[in-house]
Amino acid sequence: MSLLLRHLSREIYMSIGLVFFALIALFSFMDFIHELGEMGKGEYHLGYVLLFVVLIIPGHIYELFPVAVLVGTILALVQMAASSELTVYRCSGVSPQKLVGILFLISLPLISTSIVLGEWVVPPSDRMAQRLSLMARKGQVALQEFRSGVWVKDEQSFVNVKSVKLDESLSNLSEVDIYRFDETHHLQAITNAKSASFISDGRWKLEEVSETKFSKEGVSISTQPQAEWKSSLHPSIFSVLLVVPEQMSAVELYQYSQHLKDNSQKSARYEIAMWNKLAYPLTLLVMLLLALPFASYQRRAGGVGSMIFLGILMGLAFHVIGRLFASLGALNNWPPFFSATAMTGVFLLLGSAMLWWTERR
């Protein structure tokens, strides 16, 4: 058992590493070609381009983990089956149940690696890459959730922000409009500020402030160079704008989705991404299980290349259809847990059915 575990682990890890090398090389080359079109804007030269490509590699690794695990495991198992190694193990009394148990043990380091990447490596690395690119091009984070910028509900107020100036904490906002309502939803005042900078919890400093107040007596307008704004908003709310939800940590996704729900805003996309993160370990285990039926490979059933091609198609189908299903779930308000785990469940059933069919043969 321990001998088979060590041998399978070595073969599967080497194959997964080979697949990762090929995929990352391809994606990095495509990223490099894309960024060359941005080179020359501001101080964005070749050195920044190469650094940007390197910084987003962890995100590609995390995103491609299920595909690499599936294709790499199929590659290892098919090669071992072609050389009759697995036949020898099966004749020595290794049952399919034991193979499943061995694959579970093999999956543990892969699962641990994916969790470390997804929670502590990918989010800061991707943010750093986006900040590097924008700062080198002398840009700002343009908030394009709507044409007018981004809208955030803050207790009894609605806040509109056009852009975020880049600094270490993303605590400087530009072109801020604050619409304050009373408890009966009547507009009380509109505050316009050229910029807003975060001071401490619950406090922001507004610059070049103009305030329009509405009352029974009429409308009054006042201006002042600076003013303090008390708000429940925190710079971390705006930091999510630098990365897509799929590359945020589960903790960040939970906090931001709670913020959206507390302010009666749609949070489906972020909840789906959060459940995807939580279901990721199961996804990797399902990919290993899905590859197990290929252990019954026989030369007359087709070449190794055809088996690898089939594995690539299955991996791409899981990746593409899974994203499509998550998008449909966000658009149609399906339960986030269902939208995030449906494809994993389908592939688990598919892998179990394939394993049962090959054993029945």
Side-chain angles (χ1 to χ4, degrees):
M1 179 73 173
S2 59
L3 178 62
L4 177 58
L5 174 60
R6 289 197 301 271
H7 184 58
L8 270 178
S9 299
R10 182 173 63 252
E11 295 296 324
I12 289 176
Y13 292 155
M14 288 180 61
S15 296
I16 291 174
L18 180 63
V19 173
F20 260 132
F21 179 79
L23 290 175
I24 296 305
L26 175 62
F27 274 75
S28 296
F29 178 73
M30 293 170 61
D31 290 332
F32 178 72
I33 296 300
H34 178 267
E35 290 302 310
L36 284 179
E38 301 294 318
M39 196 168 65
K41 296 181 179 179
E43 298 177 0
Y44 197 53
H45 51 68
L46 183 60
Y48 283 126
V49 170
L50 293 174
L51 184 55
F52 176 85
V53 172
V54 170
L55 285 172
I56 61 176
I57 285 177
H60 288 319
I61 294 176
Y62 183 78
E63 186 178 17
L64 295 170
F65 228 113
V67 179
V69 168
L70 175 61
V71 177
T73 306
I74 290 176
L75 175 61
L77 294 179
V78 167
Q79 288 180 332
M80 293 178 69
S83 60
S84 301
E85 291 181 66
L86 289 179
T87 303
V88 173
Y89 285 121
R90 292 297 302 274
C91 293
S92 301
V94 178
S95 65
Q97 292 76 16
K98 285 186 178 180
L99 279 175
V100 172
I102 290 172
L103 289 180
F104 173 76
L105 295 176
I106 292 174
S107 72
L108 295 180
L110 299 173
I111 290 172
S112 300
T113 303
S114 70
I115 292 175
V116 171
L117 279 172
E119 294 300 304
W120 295 289
V121 178
V122 174
S125 177
D126 201 69
R127 286 195 185 95
M128 190 182 301
Q130 300 302 329
R131 290 184 186 180
L132 170 74
S133 176
L134 289 167
M135 291 177 71
R137 289 179 290 176
K138 306 299 183 181
Q140 293 183 343
V141 184
L143 308 184
Q144 297 298 330
E145 189 168 333
F146 299 99
R147 287 187 178 181
S148 58
V150 70
W151 290 84
V152 183
K153 188 172 184 294
D154 176 33
E155 298 178 349
Q156 296 297 322
S157 301
F158 287 89
V159 182
N160 175 237
V161 181
K162 298 297 190 303
S163 63
V164 179
K165 293 181 180 179
L166 289 168
D167 61 10
E168 290 299 318
S169 60
L170 290 180
S171 59
N172 290 307
L173 313 180
S174 296
E175 302 296 335
V176 181
D177 298 323
I178 306 167
Y179 299 82
R180 190 167 66 251
F181 293 80
D182 60 20
E183 294 181 355
T184 59
H185 308 295
H186 288 90
L187 183 63
Q188 287 186 320
I190 301 175
T191 302
N192 310 103
K194 188 70 175 178
S195 64
S197 55
F198 186 69
I199 302 174
S200 61
D201 288 344
R203 297 169 58 229
W204 293 74
K205 184 175 71 173
L206 302 179
E207 302 281 351
E208 300 182 37
V209 184
S210 172
E211 185 175 43
T212 304
K213 293 184 178 180
F214 302 91
S215 63
K216 295 180 180 179
E217 290 75 22
V219 179
S220 61
I221 301 175
S222 62
T223 59
Q224 48 187 325
Q226 292 183 349
E228 185 175 296
W229 171 38
K230 294 184 178 180
S231 170
S232 62
L233 297 180
H234 192 272
S236 60
I237 297 297
F238 298 98
S239 68
V240 302
L241 301 166
L242 283 177
V243 295
V244 295
E246 291 73 20
Q247 292 180 336
M248 296 167 57
S249 69
V251 174
E252 291 172 331
L253 288 166
Y254 173 77
Q255 291 174 343
Y256 191 63
S257 61
Q258 286 298 119
H259 167 79
L260 293 176
K261 288 194 290 186
D262 290 343
N263 289 281
S264 303
Q265 295 176 282
K266 292 186 68 173
S267 61
R269 185 183 178 191
Y270 293 91
E271 289 187 85
I272 291 172
M274 181 187 69
W275 282 113
N276 264 322
K277 288 273 185 180
L278 297 178
Y280 212 70
L282 176 61
T283 300
L284 298 183
L285 186 58
V286 168
M287 293 297 106
L288 286 168
L289 177 64
L290 193 60
L292 190 55
F294 289 84
S296 62
Y297 160 79
Q298 299 174 354
R299 289 185 181 275
R300 65 176 181 270
V304 174
S306 62
M307 298 293 104
I308 301 303
F309 180 70
L310 178 59
I312 292 173
L313 288 181
M314 294 172 66
L316 290 177
F318 177 84
H319 180 73
V320 174
I321 299 176
R323 286 209 161 189
L324 175 62
F325 208 82
S327 299
L328 290 174
L331 289 172
N332 296 287
N333 293 319
W334 294 344
F337 177 78
F338 171 75
S339 301
T341 59
M343 284 306 299
T344 301
V346 169
F347 271 65
L348 176 60
L349 293 175
L350 177 62
S352 302
M354 289 175 60
L355 186 60
W356 173 82
W357 183 72
T358 54
E359 288 302 313
R360 187 181 180 187
R361 291 175 59 195

